[in-house]
């Protein structure tokens, strides 16, 4: 039998269970202190509620594309040309205004009276988990407030609450956690396909893409300008210390667009040689891009107080580029079947992943999240990561080997070997 005694300012309790260390059949009894099932036993310095979640995201996209194709006249063998272009304009707006909807209860009920008035009608206990729980009064229930009743009380008695808006609350709700990001992409391509012989097919292409970004960011006044206007500022961090001062400091001038621009060419080529009616060799090359998601670039901070983490965007993150090579030898069988061996290699530059940092490593200079772990997406390294591998695959129909009703069965199998080899230069 395992027994634990826990003295504390709010009372003592004892807990024991069977000798099986995996068992959950705890028996917990309160030995002293105020009754844990009674709302009057709890004290709060203040009762603060949030009336709105405050989180929102809005995405607007517009765009268009055109594609044309034609065959070159007068050539000795068929040559087909395709070309086209595409435009996509995207606008992203992220808001987290939760701190703008905070209210504190002022009067006339005491804390105990308020907790009693908003007590949940659903009695909470731990018996379903295999625990036996008993407070000092013999109750097997824990006190549990009702979010519904708290919200209803607020709507029925709004005069008993006062808005709770500090300078920090206003900054977080309307300045720090407000993000506007535009991403415009322009692309054009040309691709040619030729079949010089019955057994050989060739294809090559070139695509050009340009991406323009713009992030709207505050253009705040300096601490000296705020002081001259008659508002107090924090000596250690610089921002104004009142809501009016924050409005003057961050909203006097309109937000400015921090612009970015990059463009790349993406060549591609492939060849297919059919040595027989059932044996093909395929070779390919392409250059591709993977852009980070917009929320990774311009989202708002996401704070998890339970595990003490802050997930933050990285506006300086650049796209991941990859040069891809492939070779495939495949043998086909009647009626439906194949055996193939594939080789692939991808050279990645600018690969990114989510990493964790301490507040100091991240560059956070405040005190509120000084002990938190910061998570953000960063580039793995400055060089190239080479990933290559071989795959063996088989796909064969059993139609000729099995009687009805099993003729439709197919036997599939594959084996893949992958070898990543970092090559940082």
């Amino acid at each position: 039998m395992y027994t634990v005694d826990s003295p504390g300012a709010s009372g003592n309790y004892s807990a024991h269970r069977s000798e099986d260390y995996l068992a959950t059949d705890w028996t917990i009894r309160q030995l002293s202190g105020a009754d844990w099932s009674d709302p009057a036993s709890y004290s709060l310095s203040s009762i603060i509620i949030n009336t709105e979640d405050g989180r929102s995201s809005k995405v607007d996209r517009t765009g268009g594309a055109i594609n044309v194709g034609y065959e070159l006249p007068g050539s000795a063998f068929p040559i087909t040309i395709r070309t086209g272009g595409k435009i996509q304009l995207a606008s992203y707006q992220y808001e987290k205004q939760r701190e703008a909807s905070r209210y504190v209860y002022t009067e006339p009920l005491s804390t105990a009276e308020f907790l009693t008035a908003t007590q949940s009608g659903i009695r909470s206990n731990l018996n379903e988990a295999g625990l036996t729980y008993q407070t000092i009064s013999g109750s097997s229930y824990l006190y549990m407030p009702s979010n519904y009743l708290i919200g209803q009380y607020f709507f029925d008695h709004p005069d008993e609450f006062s808005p709770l808006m500090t300078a920090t609350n206003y900054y977080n709700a309307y300045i720090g956690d407000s993000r506007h990001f535009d991403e415009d992409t322009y692309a054009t391509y040309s691709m040619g396909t030729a079949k010089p012989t019955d057994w050989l097919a060739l294809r090559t292409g070139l695509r050009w893409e340009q991406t323009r970004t713009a992030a709207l960011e505050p253009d705040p006044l300096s601490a000296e300008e705020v002081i001259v206007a008659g508002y107090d500022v924090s000596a250690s961090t610089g921002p104004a210390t009142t809501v009016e001062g924050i409005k003057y400091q961050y909203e006097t001038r309109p937000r400015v667009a921090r612009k970015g621009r990059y463009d790349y060419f993406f060549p591609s080529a492939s060849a297919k040689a059919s040595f027989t009616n059932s044996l093909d060799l395929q070779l390919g090359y392409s250059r591709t891009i993977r852009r980070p998601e917009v929320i990774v670039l311009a989202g708002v901070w996401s704070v998890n107080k339970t595990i003490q983490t802050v997930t933050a965007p990285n506006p300086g993150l650049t796209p991941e580029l990859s040069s891809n090579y492939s070779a495939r030898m495949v043998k086909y069988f009647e009626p439906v079947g194949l055996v193939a061996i594939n080789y692939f290699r991808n050279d990645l530059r600018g690969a990114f992943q989510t990493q964790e940092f301490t507040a100091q490593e991240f560059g956070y200079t405040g005190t509120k999240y000084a002990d938190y772990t910061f998570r953000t997406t960063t580039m793995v390294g400055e060089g190239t990561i080479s990933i290559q591998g071989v795959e063996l695959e088989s796909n064969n129909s059993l139609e000729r080997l099995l009687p009805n009703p099993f003729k439709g069965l197919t036997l599939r199998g594959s084996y893949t070997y992958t070898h990543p080899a970092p090559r940082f230069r």
Side-chain angles (χ1 to χ4, degrees):
M1 177 178 295
Y2 296 84
T3 303
V4 178
D5 291 322
S6 175
S10 58
N12 299 340
Y13 69 89
S14 67
H16 66 273
R17 65 175 178 182
S18 60
E19 294 184 1
D20 183 1
Y21 72 95
L22 294 177
T24 61
D25 57 343
W26 285 95
T27 298
I28 302 173
R29 288 187 175 87
Q30 182 185 1
L31 303 177
S32 64
D35 187 359
W36 295 344
S37 66
D38 186 357
S41 302
Y42 297 86
S43 62
L44 301 172
S45 58
S46 59
I47 299 172
I48 301 173
I49 66 172
N50 277 90
T51 59
E52 299 288 344
D53 179 79
R55 292 175 293 183
S56 65
S57 62
K58 180 182 179 182
V59 181
D60 293 322
R61 288 191 180 93
T62 57
I66 183 172
N67 297 281
V68 295
Y70 59 94
E71 291 188 5
L72 288 181
S75 58
F77 48 84
I79 299 178
T80 302
I81 302 295
R82 293 186 180 277
T83 187
K86 180 180 180 180
I87 298 176
Q88 178 173 285
L89 311 178
S91 178
Y92 304 84
Q93 182 74 37
Y94 299 100
E95 301 288 348
K96 190 171 72 173
Q97 299 179 356
R98 180 178 177 84
E99 294 189 39
S101 304
R102 301 176 78 218
Y103 291 82
V104 59
Y105 184 76
T106 54
E107 58 182 3
L109 301 180
S110 65
T111 299
E113 291 172 331
F114 184 88
L115 294 178
T116 300
T118 56
Q119 182 175 6
S120 174
I122 302 175
R123 309 303 298 272
S124 173
N125 61 42
L126 306 176
N127 293 340
E128 292 183 359
L131 284 74
T132 301
Y133 175 83
Q134 189 176 86
T135 70
I136 197 169
S137 65
S139 174
S140 61
Y141 298 100
L142 295 171
Y143 167 75
M144 185 174 70
S146 167
N147 290 335
Y148 171 79
L149 292 179
I150 292 174
Q152 189 63 50
Y153 192 95
F154 172 82
F155 286 113
D156 292 341
H157 308 278
D159 55 312
E160 298 181 12
F161 295 82
S162 297
L164 184 63
M165 177 68 76
T166 65
T168 300
N169 296 148
Y170 188 90
Y171 174 84
N172 291 339
Y174 298 110
I175 310 297
D177 287 338
S178 177
R179 296 285 191 274
H180 183 95
F181 185 80
D182 293 329
E183 184 180 59
D184 300 339
T185 304
Y186 307 87
T188 183
Y189 79 95
S190 290
M191 180 179 66
T193 303
K195 195 171 179 59
T197 68
D198 291 339
W199 60 272
L200 180 63
L202 303 173
R203 174 173 291 173
T204 184
L206 182 65
R207 188 175 84 257
W208 171 82
E209 285 190 11
Q210 182 184 86
T211 300
R212 302 177 185 178
T213 61
L216 292 183
E217 298 181 358
D219 185 19
L221 301 173
S222 66
E224 292 75 14
E225 292 173 304
V226 177
I227 293 174
V228 170
Y231 300 102
D232 294 331
V233 300
S234 170
S236 59
T237 59
T241 57
T242 63
V243 173
E244 292 74 16
I246 289 291
K247 290 180 179 180
Y248 178 78
Q249 185 174 17
Y250 287 91
E251 297 178 355
T252 296
R253 293 197 291 243
R255 296 194 176 207
V256 295
R258 309 296 184 188
K259 297 182 179 180
R261 174 175 170 175
Y262 57 86
D263 60 274
Y264 299 98
F265 284 97
F266 301 97
S268 63
S270 64
K272 178 180 178 181
S274 300
F275 300 112
T276 67
N277 290 334
S278 60
L279 182 63
D280 289 346
L281 173 64
Q282 301 169 12
L283 303 175
Y285 165 78
S286 65
R287 192 178 190 223
T288 56
I289 185 173
R290 183 168 77 101
R291 297 179 179 84
E293 296 182 10
V294 172
I295 195 170
V296 171
L297 298 172
V300 299
W301 280 19
S302 177
V303 180
N304 189 320
K305 295 182 179 179
T306 303
I307 59 176
Q308 293 193 321
T309 60
V310 176
T311 302
N314 181 1
L317 194 62
T318 55
E320 174 185 291
L321 299 175
S322 176
S323 294
N324 312 300
Y325 308 86
S326 64
R328 173 181 170 88
M329 180 72 77
V330 55
K331 171 69 175 178
Y332 298 97
F333 299 96
E334 293 291 347
V336 178
L338 63 85
V339 173
I341 179 171
N342 308 297
Y343 169 80
F344 63 88
R345 173 172 167 172
N346 307 111
D347 292 335
L348 304 180
R349 178 173 290 274
F352 44 81
Q353 66 179 12
T354 301
Q355 292 185 292
E356 294 186 349
F357 303 90
T358 65
Q360 183 178 7
E361 291 171 338
F362 183 77
Y364 177 73
T365 57
T367 58
K368 186 175 182 180
Y369 305 120
D371 297 329
Y372 280 50
T373 297
F374 282 73
R375 294 175 177 170
T376 190
T377 304
T378 61
M379 192 167 62
V380 175
E382 295 293 338
T384 301
I385 299 176
S386 180
I387 302 173
Q388 57 184 333
V390 176
E391 180 184 24
L392 303 175
E393 62 172 308
S394 174
N395 186 342
N396 292 282
S397 171
L398 303 180
E399 182 175 347
R400 293 182 177 179
L401 300 177
L402 298 176
N404 287 326
F406 305 106
K407 285 184 175 292
L409 293 178
T410 300
L411 183 64
R412 295 185 178 93
S414 65
Y415 170 79
T416 303
Y417 170 79
T418 303
H419 177 67
R423 297 187 292 113
F424 295 109
R425 296 190 296 268

